[in-house]
Amino acid sequence: MAYDTVKLRSPPLSPAVIEQTKNMSLRRSGVEMATGEEKYVLFAGELLGSWDSRISVIPKDEHYVIDKNGRPVKEKCEPFLEIEASVHKIFCGHNVYGGPTDFRQVCRDFVALVEELLETELPLADYWTVHRVDVALVYRLPKLACKEFFDGMQVMSFPRRHRGSAKYAMAVYFPGKTTTVKFYHKGTEFQVHERSRMRGFFTNLFKHLHGKNDPKNYERAERKLEALQRLADSRLRAEVEIHSDKFQYDFEKNPLVKEVTDAYLQQVYDREVEKLLREGKQAMDTVRGSRAVLSRLKAVYGPSTGARLYGFWSSLCTLGDEVTREQFAKTVFYRNRKLLEDAGVSWRGTDVTVVANDGLLPVDFSPVRSDKRLCYLPARNREEYQVSRETMRLAA
C-alpha cells in the first residue's frame, strides 16, 4: 500500500510567513469591470518539487463552519496554509511503482519540502490537519488482462455508487461524498498524462550528467521512458480517495497528522473496495468456479444450506443482481448475498457466465491486499538519478 495525493492544513501562522508565501506564489484576482472594485484576491502557488511535480500552496484566512441551521458558511479566521500534492510523485518522480508507505513520515517530509521551497519556517507536520489522502495499491497484470478486468466492470451493476465518466477506456471511478474509488490501467494513464512531463525531466537530467552537447542524451531519455512504459503497461492501479467528510465522520473533526495511522487508512481502503466489488473477505481466497463454489459453500455451511446457496449463486451468475433481486424477498436476497461474501465466493467472472473463462484475467484476481499479484516492494531508484533540486536548476 502506498500514498499518493495528500492535502494538509497548517495551524494558524504568523503574518510574516503568510506574506512570504504570497510573495513566492501566483496572484489571481477578480475585478468587476463596471465599477473597478476588486471582488476577491486568491494566492495559489504551484511550486517545483522533485522531478518537476507540482505542489499547490494556498494561504487562506477563511474556513467553513456549520451555522445554527446546519448549513456550511464561510467565517474569518487566523491565516493558515493549505498544501496539496502527489507525495508519490514529488519524492519518486512518478507513481508507476514504489511509493511512500509510512503516512506520518511522508507528511513530515512533505511539510519539510514546502518549508524549504518557501524559504521560511513552518510548524511541525504532526500538528497539521488532514483533509485528503489517496491510498493506492498496484497489481501486476498483463495489459490484455487489465482490459478484460475493465470490460467486466463495464457490465456490472453498482446500485449504491454512480459510475463516473472516465477519460479513457481502461479506467473507472465511482465518486462519493466521503470517498472516491478508482481503478485504472497505469500504462494508459502514463501515456496520456505523464510521458511528456517525464521526457522533459530525463532530457535535462542526462544533459546534466553527460553534458548538454552529448548526442545520445535524447536516446537515453527515450530508453528510460520506454522502460517505465513497459512496466506501467503491466500494472493495474486501484485507489481510494478519502475525503475530508470521511475524516470528520470517523474522528468528529479533521484529525491531526499524528492521529492518523497506517492501519486506519488500510482499513478504509479495504472496506470501500469490498463494499464496491462485493469480493468477499480477505482472509479467504475468492473462488469463482462452479465446483469450487459448491465445495466451499458445503464446507462452510453444511450440505443442505450449501446446496441452497449454490442455487442462489447460480442465479446471480446467469441472471445478474437486478433480476435475481426480483425473484427473492428483499431480506432473503441480502442475507444470502452476505453469506456468499462471508464464504469468500464471487459471482463475477465465473465459469458459468456468457463470457468465456479462458481469458488472460486470472479467475482468482481481486483488487484487495491479500491478492498474490499485489506489488509491495519499495521503489528502487538508481543512484545517478538522485539529483538535488538545486543541481537540476543549475543544469537547466
Side-chain angles (χ1 to χ4, degrees), residues 30-170:
V31 178
E32 186 175 339
M33 300 304 294
T35 62
E37 179 185 358
E38 190 171 61
K39 289 293 187 181
Y40 68 86
V41 178
L42 174 66
F43 295 90
E46 292 180 343
L47 306 177
L48 288 179
S50 305
W51 290 33
D52 196 31
S53 296
R54 289 176 294 178
I55 305 171
S56 173
V57 181
I58 307 178
K60 292 184 176 181
D61 58 2
E62 293 179 322
H63 66 166
Y64 281 98
V65 296
I66 304 299
D67 65 11
K68 60 182 180 180
N69 298 318
R71 298 175 181 174
V73 294
K74 278 189 175 181
E75 185 180 82
K76 282 285 186 179
C77 64
E78 295 184 79
F80 61 88
L81 283 186
E82 199 169 76
I83 63 175
E84 182 176 5
S86 167
V87 292
H88 193 158
K89 290 181 181 177
I90 64 176
F91 293 119
C92 295
H94 57 79
N95 60 358
V96 176
Y97 61 88
T101 57
D102 185 329
F103 176 72
R104 294 174 182 172
Q105 186 57 49
V106 78
C107 288
R108 293 167 188 147
D109 294 340
F110 182 25
V111 171
L113 176 60
V114 173
E115 185 177 58
E116 178 187 349
L117 297 175
L118 293 178
E119 300 175 2
T120 188
E121 188 173 344
L122 296 175
L124 293 175
D126 288 8
Y127 299 97
W128 293 51
T129 54
V130 182
H131 293 259
R132 173 185 170 181
V133 179
D134 286 9
V135 183
L137 269 66
V138 180
Y139 300 89
R140 184 179 64 258
L141 287 171
K143 186 174 182 178
L144 291 178
C146 293
K147 186 177 187 307
E148 288 185 20
F149 174 82
F150 289 107
D151 288 345
M153 292 288 288
Q154 294 300 328
V155 299
M156 288 184 187
S157 173
F158 298 94
R160 297 179 183 273
R161 287 258 193 177
H162 173 71
R163 184 189 289 113
S165 178
K167 294 182 179 179
Y168 39 87
M170 285 200 283

Side-chain angles (χ1 to χ4, degrees), residues 164-224:
S165 178
K167 294 182 179 179
Y168 39 87
M170 285 200 283
V172 290
Y173 79 101
F174 302 87
K177 182 179 180 182
T178 58
T179 61
T180 294
V181 182
K182 298 175 277 189
F183 302 98
Y184 58 91
H185 177 237
K186 184 58 194 175
T188 306
E189 192 264 354
F190 182 83
Q191 180 71 41
V192 173
H193 296 295
E194 295 296 314
R195 186 162 179 139
S196 59
R197 178 183 69 84
M198 297 296 292
R199 179 179 289 108
F201 167 77
F202 282 118
T203 299
N204 285 334
L205 173 64
F206 290 125
K207 284 181 179 178
H208 167 68
L209 294 177
H210 304 285
K212 292 184 177 181
N213 299 322
D214 192 322
K216 294 184 178 180
N217 284 335
Y218 180 79
E219 181 183 343
R220 293 186 181 104
E222 287 301 311
R223 277 205 310 270
K224 182 63 178 176

